[in-house]
Amino acid sequence: MRVPLSWLREYVDLPATETGRDVQAKLISAGLEVETVEHLGADLKGPLVVGQVLTIEELEGFKKPIRFCTVDVGRANGTGEPQEIVCGARNFSVGDKVVVVLPGATLPGGFSISARKTYGKVSHGMICSSDELGMGDDGSHGIIVLPPETEVGKDAVELLELVDEVLDIAVTANRGDCLSIRGVARETAIAYGLPLRDPALLDVPGPNAFGYPVKVSEPAGCDRFTARTVTGLSPEARSPIWLQRRLQKVGMRPISLAVDVTNYVMMELGQPLHAYDRHQVQGAIGVRRAQEGEKIVTLDGVERKLHAEDLVITDDRGPIGLAGVMGGADTEIADHDPSEEGAAATTDVIIEAAHFDQVSVARTARRHKLSSEASRRFERGVDPQAAAAAAQRTVDLLVLLAGGTAEAGVTEVVAPGAPHTVTMAADHPDKVAGVTYGRETVVRRLQEVGCDVYGQDELIVTVPSWRPDLTDPNDLAEEVIRLEGYENLPSTLPRPPAGRGLTARQRLHRRIGRALAGAGYVEALNYPFVSEQVFDQLGLEADDPARRVVRLVNPLSDEEPALRTSLLPGLLAALRRNDGRGSHDLALFETGLVFQPRDAARVAANLPVDRRPSPDDIAALNAALPDQPRHVAVVLAGAREQAGWWGKGRPADWADAVEAARTVAREAGAELGIRKGQYGPWHPGRCAELTVTVDGAERVVGHAGELHPRVLKTLGLPARSCAMELDLDVLERVGDTVPQAPSISTFPVATQDVALVVDAYVPAADVEAALREGAGELLESIRLFDVYENAEQLGEGRKSLAYALRFRANDRTLTVDEASAAREAAVALATDRTGAVLRG
């Protein structure tokens, strides 16, 4: 809602020194979201005056029509001589009054005006259009033509009200009253503690039997309908400048006098109105639900097929308007156009000021994809008591500006109803805010809003008609709190009970995140939504369990209607996006939930709202939800170590992905098995299968390695990209998260190296496991430090694996014989299990 400060001052006597910024601060403190304050004409500098066109000479020989004009600007140019101006506009004639900017002036945008030669003539100034003056669209598509009675030489800055401040307010869905100058003026008056001159306080004649006939067949959808008639409107009457300027400042385009007046009153009072051409309305006006299949051509020229729930305005022919949304073309106000012969302008109008059901208007507007200024207000709540005043205000303006005559007949159809009352404890706002306001403050603030308040300890509050959003005690408490100032609420931190903190699971997830971050990974947070096509792109088998997804009934995007079963799609998309933007050396990780549908589908029961759900209720709800284990995944691409003066860098490879899995397992206190594997998106020869032992049985919990070239090409990823994914919940289950301090021995270590020759297909992990078991408890650590393949020395299909074995005892220094015996036992078991042979 755009609110000109000059218009606001008509209803609230703000101090003359108050600026738009000051009012903005006050309204924000009162709870309104004033986004900006626009300073109209801030960079405008005169002279800008009214001129009268004396002569027009058409210049020939140019690609576009050019006119050389002489314009009388009075004494504004200091000489009284006609001003010579070159202009390309065509919408004015000799004798018209126009807006002229003279040399030395500056227009909005910092455009300086000076005498200059153009098209073979010297132009001393410029004839202005509304866009050039920053006024907005006036519908003329050319220069401004002023009314004939405008005085020549008059200051156009003052005439056109070019200097002003406009507050742009983001009105929330519950504050329909602030979609009007009246509503914002009320908030301003409360914020400043000043009286409000309510523009809706008008003398309105009562209904009588002479008004235009109206029949409301759907009182639930229209509880109030006021109709007034004005006849004898002058076809040549145009909206005065002040009216056009106010509409432009609030963001509306002037159209014609009758339409402009209804729009003006709507912006002033917040009551949408509609004007019908009386000669085009056939019979009585009615309000009813549409019949299925009925059609109407709305004012935007679109034929619309109506729904049975649409509320429509009718005459004897059928629908002539969508109630609260838009009128029909059959009864549109016709403007006077001298260029059209036989075109009759509207001289008699019927003014409609009605109150329609919020939900009905909202559904109709969405059903027909037709949002309007009227529907926007009805959806958020309109003051039903303002309908008669708005109709009277419209009639008064039409009589004043168009020379019309107000007929004596007044139609008002009102459905029975009573004001809404709310019962609230006087200290309820105190309990909500944690501040002691006291009964007097509560009553005073509610009365400022417009409520009638009775009672002592228990207050009976009658809500004003313009605040339909006040429905319960919490709404009233919010009014007291916001008017007392949200900024005055004390800041207090909650006190958690002693002995509570993060759960063991939360601590584990944080440790894993810190460990991966310390290893050079950057955390990425992705949406949990995926397209089922991504499983084809990842190369998953048709019967892969990961293809079973939970589909959303109302997805945010139709392209991603399912919940993820893996973290890789989101991470790989983030990898591709960052690589495409120039970041080629990447290491990303994510921890998050994946969603696995249960075998038996269940429907969740509706939980009670009047009490805390029982453990059985919560258990039944959880049983209906999909399994949601937490996974961790990493992706890598580009350089893992940068090159520099310190040496050569190296690219990320499958070993880095495996090491990331080891890092996660160490934090979880789990023993991770690593062996050759093959699955989905990973390269068959460079994929590690990650296992743990659960209840005595080996279980696969993830994979790590280099991605398949086909997957990289399909997803547009960098070459040799790597990835890892693990099931964190299983690691947590088998791991020991109790920190284990390392044992420190005071005795020296005995190091023994061993090189074993095995078949090329034998995994190094199997050889290492055999060495570890055979070496016994004296083995402190084992490390593979060399892999060697040479057919001439080792034989075809053979490889050499070199291990460093470290032996140490806790109670003594090992002898050479003890270390050698442990080494020989380790080699013997490796030979027995894997066929290894000592090299050399």
Side-chain angles (χ1 to χ4, degrees), residues 109 241 246 417 445 450 493 512 577 637 716 742 756 776:
I241 293 175
R246 286 195 169 177
R445 288 303 189 183
L493 292 175
I512 289 172
R577 185 163 53 251
L756 301 176

Side-chain angles (χ1 to χ4, degrees), residues 358-376:
Q358 293 178 239
V359 175
S360 178
V361 172
R363 288 178 176 173
T364 298
R366 284 155 179 75
R367 187 180 299 119
H368 294 283
K369 297 180 175 60
L370 185 61
S371 180
S372 65
E373 291 288 346
S375 67
R376 185 169 170 237

Side-chain angles (χ1 to χ4, degrees), residues 336-588:
H336 174 68
D337 189 349
S339 64
E340 295 185 17
E341 295 183 4
T346 299
T347 57
D348 301 339
V349 297
I350 302 171
I351 305 300
E352 166 210 305
H355 184 261
F356 301 111
D357 177 61
Q358 293 178 239
V359 175
S360 178
V361 172
R363 288 178 176 173
T364 298
R366 284 155 179 75
R367 187 180 299 119
H368 294 283
K369 297 180 175 60
L370 185 61
S371 180
S372 65
E373 291 288 346
S375 67
R376 185 169 170 237
R377 283 161 175 78
F378 278 122
E379 289 174 22
R380 288 160 175 77
V382 169
D383 181 4
Q385 301 294 333
Q392 182 64 45
R393 177 74 164 137
T394 305
V395 169
D396 291 344
L397 287 174
L398 288 176
V399 170
L400 174 66
L401 302 177
T405 301
E407 290 195 349
V410 177
T411 302
E412 191 164 1
V413 180
V414 181
H420 180 62
T421 60
V422 179
T423 301
M424 178 186 74
D427 62 349
H428 182 66
D430 301 0
K431 295 178 180 178
V432 172
V435 177
T436 302
Y437 292 120
R439 179 187 176 280
E440 290 74 15
T441 299
V442 171
V443 171
R444 174 173 57 83
R445 288 303 189 183
L446 293 178
Q447 288 175 340
E448 287 177 347
V449 172
C451 300
D452 290 330
V453 186
Y454 303 95
Q456 291 298 320
D457 294 338
E458 186 174 73
L459 303 179
I460 300 175
V461 182
T462 302
V463 174
S465 59
W466 56 82
R467 291 299 302 274
D469 59 305
L470 304 181
T471 60
D472 56 57
N474 285 333
D475 294 329
L476 300 178
E478 182 183 1
E479 292 300 298
V480 175
I481 296 168
R482 75 176 180 87
L483 294 179
E484 284 295 304
Y486 291 121
E487 69 277 8
N488 295 323
L489 294 177
S491 298
T492 56
L493 292 175
R495 296 182 179 179
R500 297 185 183 181
L502 298 177
T503 64
R505 187 185 194 205
Q506 290 171 330
R507 289 195 296 270
L508 172 61
H509 295 162
R510 292 195 178 188
R511 288 204 312 272
I512 289 172
R514 286 194 294 266
L516 289 175
Y521 291 87
V522 176
E523 186 171 14
L525 302 177
N526 297 294
Y527 287 117
F529 313 116
V530 296
S531 165
E532 294 182 67
Q533 296 176 350
V534 76
F535 302 127
D536 296 328
Q537 297 170 338
L538 293 177
L540 301 186
E541 299 293 338
D543 59 347
D544 194 299
R547 284 183 174 270
R548 295 183 62 237
V549 296
V550 177
R551 293 179 180 84
L552 300 174
V553 176
N554 55 342
L556 294 179
S557 170
D558 292 336
E559 296 179 356
E560 296 180 331
L563 292 174
R564 66 189 178 191
T565 56
S566 166
L567 300 182
L568 287 184
L571 272 180
L572 293 177
L575 181 71
R576 179 179 63 247
R577 185 163 53 251
N578 283 274
D579 180 71
R581 294 177 179 175
S583 297
H584 303 301
D585 302 326
L586 296 162
L588 308 177

Side-chain angles (χ1 to χ4, degrees), residues 233-234 236-240 243 255-263 333 335 397-398 401-403:
L233 302 181
S234 172
E236 288 78 20
R238 293 291 176 266
S239 299
L243 178 59
I255 298 174
S256 64
L257 178 58
V259 176
D260 291 350
V261 167
T262 57
N263 286 336
I333 298 295
D335 195 16
L397 287 174
L398 288 176
L401 302 177

Side-chain angles (χ1 to χ4, degrees), residues 92-417:
F92 65 95
S93 306
V94 173
D96 283 345
K97 302 288 181 64
V98 295
V99 178
V100 179
V101 57
L102 300 177
T106 302
L107 294 183
F111 181 55
S112 298
I113 303 299
S114 61
R116 64 189 183 95
K117 188 172 183 180
T118 179
Y119 297 103
K121 301 285 187 179
V122 177
S123 182
H124 298 272
M126 187 170 71
I127 302 176
C128 298
S129 68
S130 59
D131 285 338
E132 290 164 341
L133 297 178
M135 297 168 55
D137 184 14
D138 63 356
S140 66
H141 305 291
I143 62 99
I144 303 170
V145 178
L146 300 171
E149 64 273 12
T150 310
E151 179 185 351
V152 172
K154 184 178 178 63
D155 183 4
V157 175
E158 178 183 351
L159 175 69
L160 300 177
E161 301 177 14
L162 297 178
V163 179
D164 202 350
E165 292 181 276
V166 178
L167 286 71
D168 194 349
I169 303 175
V171 179
T172 54
N174 65 316
R175 292 303 305 272
D177 61 305
C178 287
L179 286 173
S180 66
I181 304 297
R182 178 196 184 201
V184 177
R186 181 181 294 108
E187 291 295 315
T188 305
I190 296 173
Y192 278 91
L194 297 171
L196 169 71
R197 287 189 293 274
D198 192 343
L201 295 180
L202 301 175
D203 291 331
V204 179
N208 53 52
F210 309 108
Y212 199 90
V214 174
K215 180 180 180 182
V216 178
S217 304
E218 187 67 26
C222 176
D223 57 7
R224 184 178 294 267
F225 195 108
T226 300
R228 300 288 300 274
T229 304
V230 181
T231 59
L233 302 181
S234 172
E236 288 78 20
R238 293 291 176 266
S239 299
I241 293 175
W242 65 266
L243 178 59
Q244 295 186 44
R245 287 297 294 133
R246 286 195 169 177
L247 290 177
Q248 288 173 330
K249 289 177 184 179
V250 298
M252 304 190 76
R253 180 173 65 87
I255 298 174
S256 64
L257 178 58
V259 176
D260 291 350
V261 167
T262 57
N263 286 336
Y264 176 85
V265 175
M266 175 180 68
M267 302 307 296
E268 182 181 53
L269 301 181
Q271 168 67 52
L273 301 110
H274 189 69
Y276 300 92
D277 188 328
R278 181 176 181 177
H279 298 295
Q280 302 300 325
V281 179
Q282 299 181 12
I285 292 177
V287 182
R288 61 170 171 82
R289 297 290 176 182
Q291 298 174 8
E292 195 69 43
E294 280 188 311
K295 296 181 179 179
I296 183 176
V297 178
T298 46
L299 288 173
D300 57 357
V302 177
E303 183 179 74
R304 303 180 185 278
K305 186 176 181 180
L306 301 178
H307 188 273
E309 291 185 4
D310 290 336
L311 192 67
V312 294
I313 311 298
T314 65
D315 65 2
D316 291 348
R317 296 166 297 180
I320 59 173
L322 284 173
V325 180
M326 185 174 287
D330 290 342
T331 57
E332 181 180 7
I333 298 295
D335 195 16
H336 174 68
D337 189 349
S339 64
E340 295 185 17
E341 295 183 4
T346 299
T347 57
D348 301 339
V349 297
I350 302 171
I351 305 300
E352 166 210 305
H355 184 261
F356 301 111
D357 177 61
Q358 293 178 239
V359 175
S360 178
V361 172
R363 288 178 176 173
T364 298
R366 284 155 179 75
R367 187 180 299 119
H368 294 283
K369 297 180 175 60
L370 185 61
S371 180
S372 65
E373 291 288 346
S375 67
R376 185 169 170 237
R377 283 161 175 78
F378 278 122
E379 289 174 22
R380 288 160 175 77
V382 169
D383 181 4
Q385 301 294 333
Q392 182 64 45
R393 177 74 164 137
T394 305
V395 169
D396 291 344
L397 287 174
L398 288 176
V399 170
L400 174 66
L401 302 177
T405 301
E407 290 195 349
V410 177
T411 302
E412 191 164 1
V413 180
V414 181

Side-chain angles (χ1 to χ4, degrees), residues 538-837:
L538 293 177
L540 301 186
E541 299 293 338
D543 59 347
D544 194 299
R547 284 183 174 270
R548 295 183 62 237
V549 296
V550 177
R551 293 179 180 84
L552 300 174
V553 176
N554 55 342
L556 294 179
S557 170
D558 292 336
E559 296 179 356
E560 296 180 331
L563 292 174
R564 66 189 178 191
T565 56
S566 166
L567 300 182
L568 287 184
L571 272 180
L572 293 177
L575 181 71
R576 179 179 63 247
R577 185 163 53 251
N578 283 274
D579 180 71
R581 294 177 179 175
S583 297
H584 303 301
D585 302 326
L586 296 162
L588 308 177
F589 84 92
E590 180 178 11
T591 61
L593 302 179
V594 298
F595 305 85
Q596 301 168 349
R598 299 181 187 270
D599 294 332
R602 300 183 183 180
V603 178
N606 292 327
L607 295 181
V609 296
D610 58 341
R611 58 181 172 82
R612 178 182 174 84
S614 68
D616 291 340
D617 292 334
I618 297 176
L621 178 63
N622 289 332
L625 298 176
D627 290 327
Q628 301 175 51
R630 183 174 290 271
H631 282 200
V632 59
V634 305
V635 293
L636 304 101
R640 185 64 177 143
E641 294 179 4
Q642 297 290 339
W645 58 266
W646 52 86
K648 295 182 179 180
R650 70 172 183 85
D653 60 16
W654 62 269
D656 294 302
V658 174
E659 182 58 29
R662 288 195 179 103
T663 300
V664 172
R666 280 195 298 270
E667 292 297 327
E671 185 175 346
L672 191 66
I674 301 173
R675 66 189 181 198
K676 182 179 179 180
Q678 181 175 345
Y679 177 71
W682 280 277
H683 193 296
R686 300 166 188 164
C687 174
E689 191 172 72
L690 311 174
T691 65
V692 295
T693 301
V694 182
D695 299 329
E698 190 177 61
R699 177 172 171 180
V700 177
V701 292
H703 295 83
E706 184 178 314
L707 295 174
H708 198 291
R710 184 172 57 249
V711 173
L712 300 180
K713 182 178 180 181
T714 302
L715 295 178
L717 298 172
R720 309 301 293 268
S721 295
C722 302
M724 178 277 293
E725 184 166 11
L726 273 173
D727 189 328
L728 264 184
D729 284 357
V730 177
L731 285 182
E732 181 185 5
R733 177 181 170 187
V734 302
D736 183 4
T737 58
V738 177
Q740 300 291 333
S743 59
I744 300 175
S745 175
T746 59
F747 297 97
V749 65
T751 302
Q752 297 271 357
D753 291 345
V754 59
L756 301 176
V757 179
V758 296
D759 291 333
Y761 63 82
V762 176
D766 292 351
V767 177
E768 180 180 325
L771 289 172
R772 187 183 299 276
E773 183 178 345
E777 61 182 13
L778 294 179
L779 182 67
E780 183 178 84
S781 67
I782 181 172
R783 179 174 62 88
L784 175 66
F785 66 86
D786 185 55
V787 179
Y788 178 71
E789 296 182 5
N790 188 311
E792 294 183 1
Q793 297 184 17
L794 303 178
E796 192 69 33
R798 305 280 282 175
K799 65 182 178 182
S800 171
L801 303 176
Y803 293 90
L805 308 178
R806 292 168 57 90
F807 299 97
R808 194 191 319 249
N810 293 326
D811 56 350
R812 68 188 186 283
T813 300
L814 293 178
T815 65
V816 174
D817 292 339
E818 287 178 313
S820 298
R823 172 183 178 274
E824 290 171 0
V827 172
L829 187 58
T831 299
D832 182 57
R833 288 188 177 178
T834 66
V837 178

